[in-house]
């Protein structure tokens, strides 16, 4: 009887962290576009530089390209857009100062 009770408690202890972990959002559960789209009008991943410029106009500042692959940064008033080659890699909301 004691051995059965110990086995039962051990089974609960081992499965509890797995259950708690399954309740947490997993990387595949979150759409990055929803997380990144913090400011209306921010360009989505994969858009071309030409499409971004046509929609938003000229950036306030252009930095780069830097590194390999070349990363270019376009700074707008409310967000910054990072490009890898000619495509949007990320759009990030600028911090309020």
């Amino acid at each position: 009887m004691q051995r059965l009770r110990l086995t039962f408690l051990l089974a609960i202890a081992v499965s509890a962290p797995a259950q708690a972990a399954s309740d947490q959002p997993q990387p595949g559960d979150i759409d990055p576009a929803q997380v990144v789209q913090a400011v209306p009008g921010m360009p989505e991943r994969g858009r071309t530089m030409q499409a971004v410029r046509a929609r938003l106009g000229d950036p306030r500042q252009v930095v780069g390209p830097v590194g390999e692959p070349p990363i270019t940064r376009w700074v707008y008033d409310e967000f910054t857009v990072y490009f890898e080659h000619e495509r949007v890699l990320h759009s990030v909301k600028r911090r309020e100062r």
Side-chain angles (χ1 to χ4, degrees):
M1 182 69 167
Q2 184 70 2
R3 187 174 203 172
L4 180 60
R5 182 178 293 155
L6 183 60
T7 302
F8 179 74
L9 291 174
L10 182 59
I12 290 173
V14 170
S15 66
Q19 177 62 34
S22 68
D23 293 341
Q24 299 297 318
Q26 300 299 309
D29 297 340
I30 299 171
D31 180 7
Q34 292 175 343
V35 175
V36 173
Q37 196 70 12
V39 176
M42 283 178 28
E44 303 82 22
R45 184 180 184 125
R47 286 209 179 248
T48 64
M49 286 181 168
Q50 183 179 3
V52 172
R53 193 179 299 267
R55 192 168 112 207
L56 300 174
D58 290 331
R60 199 172 64 177
Q61 179 185 7
V62 175
V63 180
V66 176
E68 186 55 43
I71 303 296
T72 304
R73 181 172 42 139
W74 287 7
V75 180
Y76 288 91
D77 290 336
E78 295 185 42
F79 50 84
T80 300
V81 183
Y82 293 87
F83 295 91
E84 181 177 325
H85 295 285
E86 295 287 319
R87 300 276 178 174
V88 172
L89 184 61
H90 294 290
S91 297
V92 181
K93 181 179 178 181
R94 292 175 47 87
R95 278 194 285 185
E96 310 256 342
R97 293 181 191 225

